[in-house]
Amino acid sequence: MPASLPPPKVLPSQGGIVMVKQILTHKTTVLLLLGLLLMLPMQWILDLNQERQAYRREAIEKIMGSASGPQRLIGPVLVQPFVREVTLHDGKEVKRYQERLLRYRLPQRLDAHIGMEVTPRTLGIYQAQVYQAKVTLSGTLDADPDWQVPADAVAETPYLSLALSDARGISQIPTLTLGGKSLEVLPGARLGQLAGVHAPLTTDAGGRFEVELTLQ
């Protein structure tokens, strides 16, 4: 019997190859378009989130701007001011002016009690936490300190000074008692450029004191 021949190979036509390429190109293009369309809402969501984050930061900055920053409390310090007249001779004329001196005394004993509270503050839909500190200072002042007054100086009214790094932190007028008597609290620490409050004293003031103030 004659040997059987293998079946002839069927080659794809040129038109079929072109059609397959067109289908693949069409599918790839459709997938790219779908990907781009899906990226649009995602970008909108990201933009909206960034915008709201910016609004939130701005709201918190406004809330915190109405409060004080980190506080540093100095005192109470007993201050005795002196005034003396100084004369200068420069060879041609004589100049006179008054010089103000300050002497300081710290309490013999000082106890501090601080209680922290958190107060929420809102601006629109945003909220921030503001801390408040209720401070109680108590101790003892020397009733008759030796100020060693210079011979040519005149003593002025002493005062008890309490200084703060940021006076905006005082939410209400502090109360100050000395020897069981309430003292008038006035603005200004009268300690250089420091902010705060002070209370004038009598020359023989002394004994146990207590200061209550609220800081934020």
Side-chain angles (χ1 to χ4, degrees):
M1 294 180 64
S4 60
L5 297 176
K9 295 182 179 181
V10 179
L11 298 176
S13 64
Q14 189 70 21
I17 295 175
V18 173
M19 183 177 295
V20 172
K21 289 183 177 180
Q22 289 178 348
I23 293 174
L24 291 176
T25 303
H26 178 71
K27 289 184 176 180
T28 304
T29 304
V30 171
L31 290 175
L32 290 175
L33 290 175
L34 289 176
L36 292 175
L37 291 176
L38 290 175
M39 289 178 64
L40 289 177
M42 292 180 61
Q43 186 62 41
W44 292 338
I45 294 174
L46 291 175
D47 292 342
L48 180 61
N49 183 57
Q50 292 178 356
E51 184 179 0
R52 290 188 175 180
Q53 289 291 335
Y55 287 152
R56 181 178 181 275
R57 287 193 298 267
E58 183 179 355
I60 291 178
E61 289 177 358
K62 288 182 178 180
I63 293 174
M64 301 308 295
S66 62
S68 63
Q71 286 285 15
R72 183 175 61 178
L73 181 62
I74 302 174
V77 180
L78 181 59
V79 184
Q80 175 62 67
F82 300 96
V83 176
R84 67 178 180 180
E85 188 173 288
V86 179
T87 303
L88 293 179
H89 300 271
D90 60 359
K92 295 183 179 180
E93 58 180 348
V94 178
K95 295 182 179 179
R96 293 184 175 87
Y97 66 93
Q98 285 189 339
E99 183 181 32
R100 194 166 186 265
L101 307 174
L102 299 177
R103 297 286 176 83
Y104 306 100
R105 287 289 186 274
L106 296 177
Q108 294 176 319
R109 177 184 175 87
L110 178 62
D111 298 319
H113 180 270
I114 302 175
M116 298 295 295
E117 293 183 356
V118 180
T119 304
R121 290 189 180 181
T122 58
L123 181 62
I125 62 174
Y126 303 103
Q127 186 180 85
Q129 306 294 333
V130 178
Y131 291 88
Q132 283 191 341
K134 292 187 176 181
V135 182
T136 301
L137 304 175
S138 59
T140 306
L141 288 173
D142 190 353
D144 188 19
D146 183 11
W147 294 109
Q148 298 180 358
V149 182
D152 56 347
V154 177
E156 294 185 334
T157 302
Y159 54 90
L160 193 64
S161 178
L162 191 66
L164 296 170
S165 55
D166 191 346
R168 296 179 305 165
I170 302 177
S171 58
Q172 58 186 9
I173 299 176
T175 60
L176 197 158
T177 59
L178 178 61
K181 298 180 180 180
S182 298
L183 300 178
E184 181 184 10
V185 179
L186 302 177
R190 299 183 66 184
L191 284 177
Q193 301 298 321
L194 296 175
V197 295
H198 74 281
L201 305 175
T202 58
T203 55
D204 58 349
R208 182 171 178 79
F209 69 88
E210 184 171 305
V211 181
E212 293 184 357
L213 70 159
T214 302
L215 301 177
Q216 63 178 8

